[in-house]
Amino acid sequence: MGSEVHPSGVIDNDKTVFSSPKITAVEGNNGEQENHELHPQIPGWFAEHCPIWPGEAHFLKVENVCFQGKSEYQDMLVFQTSTYGKVFVLDGALQLTEKDECSYQEMMTHLPLCSIPNPKKVLLIGGGDGGILREISRHSSVEHIDICEIDTMLIDVYKKYFPDVAVGYKDPRVKINVIDGTIFLKSVPRGTYDAIIVDAFDPIRPDHELFETQFFESVSKALRPGGVLCIQAESFWFKSLDIQQLLIKSSQTFKGSNDYAWTIVPTYPSGVIGFLLCSTEGPHVDFRNPINPIDPENYGISKKPLKFYNSEIHSSAFRLPSFAKKTEAKSTTKGV
Amino acid sequence: MGSEVHPSGVIDNDKTVFSSPKITAVEGNNGEQENHELHPQIPGWFAEHCPIWPGEAHFLKVENVCFQGKSEYQDMLVFQTSTYGKVFVLDGALQLTEKDECSYQEMMTHLPLCSIPNPKKVLLIGGGDGGILREISRHSSVEHIDICEIDTMLIDVYKKYFPDVAVGYKDPRVKINVIDGTIFLKSVPRGTYDAIIVDAFDPIRPDHELFETQFFESVSKALRPGGVLCIQAESFWFKSLDIQQLLIKSSQTFKGSNDYAWTIVPTYPSGVIGFLLCSTEGPHVDFRNPINPIDPENYGISKKPLKFYNSEIHSSAFRLPSFAKKTEAKSTTKGV
């Protein structure tokens, strides 16, 4: 690993542990008092501030620190909480808690995989915690799973501190590619994958920088006709998300179906996270109807049943509150 | 009103404004340092701590205080935030924000009222903000609405600072009863109401103290055969909620249908709140199917369309994540 493992214990120096990289607050200095007011800190507590939702902060008490370190790429922190279990923080941003990760991982995986018949080859970009691998492993049709995760220290930390999440790595169908996903995609033959799941970027919205790159084109090329993409998208509670605009943008690349779904994650800003689902031109995909249901007897490598996902929740995920429907394009799902 | 209206401005004495009545933290005193660690406070920010979810706190920055006062019954605070609009706090507990109140008010009203044909007489116990009245007013079949709200100062504060919520009071069908709802119920003739909505207690769960009283029996008696109750219930993210047990308990009083639904409210603990829906013996009620849809042209007294509720969201509200389904009784909705 890149850094020493800290012994367990409460770290009360909140300057390096608990402050997001954007925070430079130092107490007692008037010039920086403004930063402290914008991004408050409390010794012994972790605070996540969401930049697009100013004036709000979600604090979790650190019962003890399990790990704190720095790889070649990013800062990592693992700590224990009272009611969320262990929490993983990357560069000051909360990634995962043991309590509610089931919602995100299960929906991110099964919304796309249950929408297509017999997925065989799946690519996961990011998702280094292993939870999505755990979920993919419930699908017996899958023959090969590529994961692109550039930070091997991150994988090691998850394996050590979140074994029920990282259990996905034990599936023999998994091949770890220690490479940036964008670079990996360049070498993938056209039409290789049935599904590509992307858990590597900030939630997508219409003005996301990814739309300025060739990323989505690379993904589209790597998918077979009628193959599917799932990538996390902004919560509809944020004004920055215009679902209609988002689907118009994605449909410029993905000539099959484009749709938006959501799930609940208490520890994420607004308690909701979205998903952008796209398919390439080819066999029709209707994301709203899970034609490839999970075999309830197939627990995959975790040997445990689903905690969150089921077929009812799958179709509910596409139903929007009225204020969000106003910005929803008629889903670009084409009829058969 | 019982107290003076404070001028706008940031209050940075956090001892009386921002501390929940349970917090006695005083800085600089070792003996009380423990309390501060359990319930952190930051000057200029409001913090809500949920007792059944320790080690977590949701902070909102106070842009300015609009009102702070005390009636005969409770402490009230109204302040402005960056992204939630104005916020109302009662005895240290967040009641409502302008941004997300639509979810709670609309679902609490239309889940029951859209499940029965032509509701005419409705009773609201609590809900003194007026938002549920605003929602009831969209139903043209309704002829009379009784509200029981004992704190007239609360009504005045809502009318002054939350006019888009308290607009419900302008509906001429509304009659305000300044009386405790429990006492009011005692004088209600049997079978008076088509629907009773209760927005006055902490969220219901199987061990809630209300089950030790005659409250539910009084409600049942006041409802006509096949009349409906809606009362807020615990979020399924909390271990204290066993949906199966909850429905078994309520069905001891309500001999028609008993069901559980939920909605998303970012500012509530866990981002989710539940609803217990019950009907009395008589004409069948299937809460999951809105047989009495809202006329989309009827905006009621607010003259504004619904922001959250729609028929799709109505039926989705009964769909549960798998971990919550495990505790769900087969809904006691009896077949026709």
Side-chain angles (χ1 to χ4, degrees):
Chain A
M1 298 197 186
S3 295
E4 291 180 355
V5 174
H6 281 241
S8 293
V10 176
I11 291 184
D12 54 15
N13 173 1
D14 65 348
K15 294 184 180 57
T16 54
V17 175
F18 302 119
S19 40
S20 126
K22 299 183 187 60
I23 295 175
T24 57
V26 172
E27 293 186 21
N29 179 326
N30 281 344
E32 285 170 314
Q33 184 61 27
E34 185 183 344
N35 273 344
H36 184 271
E37 286 175 358
L38 289 172
H39 300 293
Q41 299 169 65
I42 301 172
W45 289 68
F46 168 77
E48 179 161 53
H49 311 280
C50 183
I52 59 174
W53 211 319
E56 180 185 15
H58 195 194
F59 277 77
L60 296 177
K61 186 170 189 291
V62 178
E63 299 296 338
N64 63 276
V65 173
C66 307
F67 174 79
Q68 184 190 345
K70 192 178 167 67
S71 74
E72 191 181 338
Y73 304 101
Q74 44 209 346
D75 292 316
M76 296 174 216
L77 169 66
V78 178
F79 62 91
Q80 185 76 42
T81 63
S82 313
T83 36
Y84 285 105
K86 284 195 289 295
V87 176
F88 186 99
V89 176
L90 202 61
D91 286 340
L94 187 147
Q95 300 296 301
L96 175 153
T97 83
E98 284 183 308
K99 183 173 175 73
D100 60 11
E101 58 91 11
C102 59
S103 170
Y104 180 77
Q105 316 273 27
E106 293 183 23
M107 295 296 275
M108 187 137 197
T109 309
H110 305 306
L111 284 175
L113 293 192
C114 291
S115 300
I116 54 174
N118 299 319
K120 290 191 184 345
K121 289 193 77 171
V122 183
L123 170 62
L124 172 59
I125 297 177
D129 52 75
I132 292 172
L133 297 177
R134 176 192 71 203
E135 295 309 315
I136 296 170
S137 83
R138 297 180 193 276
H139 293 262
S140 52
S141 65
V142 170
E143 297 170 354
H144 184 79
I145 308 165
D146 276 311
I147 175 172
C148 294
E149 177 52 66
I150 199 171
D151 194 335
T152 54
M153 179 174 159
L154 179 142
I155 298 177
D156 290 339
V157 172
Y158 272 113
K159 283 181 176 177
K160 183 176 168 72
Y161 296 102
F162 297 85
D164 290 342
V165 181
V167 65
Y169 284 104
K170 292 185 177 178
D171 191 307
R173 295 168 287 180
V174 172
K175 176 172 185 283
I176 302 173
N177 301 273
V178 182
I179 183 172
D180 181 302
T182 311
I183 296 170
F184 180 84
L185 277 171
K186 289 187 162 76
S187 65
V188 169
R190 180 178 288 280
T192 297
Y193 295 104
D194 298 280
I196 297 177
I197 300 171
V198 180
D199 185 16
F201 304 104
D202 287 341
I204 296 294
R205 53 182 196 272
D207 63 351
H208 198 285
E209 58 189 10
L210 262 189
F211 284 112
E212 307 304 314
T213 70
Q214 292 300 304
F215 180 78
F216 288 115
E217 282 73 18
S218 301
V219 167
S220 178
K221 172 175 166 279
L223 285 170
R224 63 153 171 88
V228 296
L229 160 71
C230 182
I231 184 167
Q232 67 168 331
E234 198 68 275
S235 158
F236 49 65
W237 283 109
F238 294 136
K239 286 183 186 169
S240 53
L241 178 69
D242 182 319
I243 296 174
Q244 183 178 41
Q245 285 305 311
L246 181 65
L247 298 184
I248 286 172
K249 277 218 148 178
S250 66
S251 64
Q252 288 166 2
T253 302
F254 293 93
K255 304 302 185 184
S257 303
N258 290 264
D259 220 331
Y260 175 90
W262 60 280
T263 192
I264 48 174
V265 184
T267 48
Y268 283 1
S270 83
V272 163
I273 190 76
F275 303 104
L276 172 62
L277 291 141
C278 310
S279 71
T280 50
E281 193 163 16
H284 172 64
V285 177
D286 178 3
F287 288 111
R288 299 181 180 208
N289 290 310
I291 59 159
N292 178 34
I294 293 175
D295 176 357
E297 304 297 311
N298 185 357
Y299 289 178
I301 194 70
S302 72
K303 301 187 175 50
K304 292 177 185 172
L306 289 159
K307 287 185 185 176
F308 191 92
Y309 177 92
N310 54 66
S311 294
E312 285 188 331
I313 285 286
H314 181 125
S315 46
S316 292
F318 295 88
R319 297 177 176 189
L320 302 172
S322 293
F323 69 82
K325 281 167 81 70
K326 289 194 177 77
T327 66
E328 180 197 20
K330 195 164 173 169
S331 158
T332 65
T333 297
K334 296 184 173 59
V336 177
Chain B
M1 297 197 186
S3 293
E4 289 180 356
V5 174
H6 281 241
S8 295
V10 176
I11 289 184
D12 53 14
N13 172 359
D14 65 347
K15 294 183 182 51
T16 54
V17 175
F18 303 117
S19 39
S20 125
K22 299 183 186 62
I23 296 174
T24 57
V26 172
E27 293 185 20
N29 179 325
N30 282 345
E32 285 170 314
Q33 184 61 29
E34 186 185 343
N35 274 343
H36 184 269
E37 286 175 358
L38 289 173
H39 300 291
Q41 299 170 66
I42 302 170
W45 288 66
F46 167 78
E48 178 160 54
H49 310 280
C50 184
I52 58 174
W53 214 317
E56 180 185 14
H58 196 193
F59 278 75
L60 297 177
K61 186 169 190 291
V62 178
E63 298 297 338
N64 62 275
V65 174
C66 307
F67 174 80
Q68 183 191 346
K70 192 176 165 65
S71 74
E72 191 179 338
Y73 303 100
Q74 43 209 347
D75 291 317
M76 296 175 215
L77 169 66
V78 178
F79 62 91
Q80 185 76 41
T81 63
S82 314
T83 37
Y84 285 105
K86 285 195 288 295
V87 175
F88 187 100
V89 176
L90 201 61
D91 285 341
L94 187 147
Q95 300 296 301
L96 177 154
T97 84
E98 284 183 308
K99 181 171 176 71
D100 60 11
E101 58 92 10
C102 59
S103 169
Y104 180 76
Q105 315 274 27
E106 293 183 22
M107 295 297 275
M108 187 135 196
T109 308
H110 305 308
L111 284 175
L113 293 192
C114 291
S115 299
I116 54 174
N118 299 318
K120 289 190 182 351
K121 289 194 78 172
V122 183
L123 170 62
L124 172 58
I125 296 177
D129 52 75
I132 291 172
L133 297 177
R134 176 192 71 205
E135 295 308 315
I136 296 170
S137 83
R138 297 181 193 276
H139 292 263
S140 52
S141 65
V142 169
E143 297 170 355
H144 183 80
I145 309 163
D146 275 311
I147 175 173
C148 293
E149 176 52 65
I150 200 170
D151 194 334
T152 54
M153 178 173 159
L154 180 142
I155 298 177
D156 290 339
V157 172
Y158 271 115
K159 282 181 176 177
K160 183 175 169 74
Y161 296 102
F162 297 86
D164 290 343
V165 182
V167 65
Y169 284 104
K170 293 185 177 179
D171 191 308
R173 296 168 286 180
V174 172
K175 176 171 184 283
I176 303 173
N177 302 273
V178 182
I179 183 172
D180 181 301
T182 311
I183 296 171
F184 179 84
L185 277 171
K186 289 187 162 72
S187 65
V188 169
R190 179 178 290 278
T192 297
Y193 295 102
D194 298 281
I196 296 177
I197 300 171
V198 180
D199 184 17
F201 304 104
D202 288 339
I204 297 293
R205 52 182 198 271
D207 64 349
H208 199 285
E209 58 188 10
L210 261 190
F211 284 112
E212 305 305 313
T213 71
Q214 293 299 303
F215 180 77
F216 288 115
E217 283 71 18
S218 301
V219 167
S220 179
K221 173 175 165 277
L223 286 169
R224 64 153 171 86
V228 296
L229 159 71
C230 182
I231 184 167
Q232 67 167 329
E234 198 68 273
S235 158
F236 49 64
W237 283 108
F238 294 136
K239 287 184 185 167
S240 53
L241 177 70
D242 182 320
I243 297 174
Q244 182 180 42
Q245 285 306 310
L246 181 65
L247 298 184
I248 287 172
K249 277 219 148 175
S250 67
S251 65
Q252 289 166 359
T253 303
F254 294 92
K255 304 302 185 185
S257 303
N258 289 264
D259 220 331
Y260 176 90
W262 61 280
T263 193
I264 48 174
V265 184
T267 49
Y268 283 1
S270 83
V272 163
I273 190 75
F275 303 104
L276 171 63
L277 291 141
C278 311
S279 72
T280 50
E281 194 163 16
H284 172 64
V285 176
D286 178 2
F287 288 111
R288 300 181 178 206
N289 289 311
I291 60 159
N292 178 34
I294 292 175
D295 176 357
E297 303 298 310
N298 186 359
Y299 288 177
I301 194 71
S302 73
K303 300 185 174 51
K304 291 178 186 173
L306 289 160
K307 287 185 186 176
F308 192 92
Y309 177 92
N310 55 65
S311 295
E312 285 189 329
I313 286 287
H314 180 126
S315 46
S316 292
F318 295 87
R319 297 176 176 191
L320 302 173
S322 293
F323 69 82
K325 281 167 81 72
K326 290 195 178 74
T327 67
E328 180 198 20
K330 196 165 171 169
S331 158
T332 65
T333 298
K334 296 184 174 59
V336 177

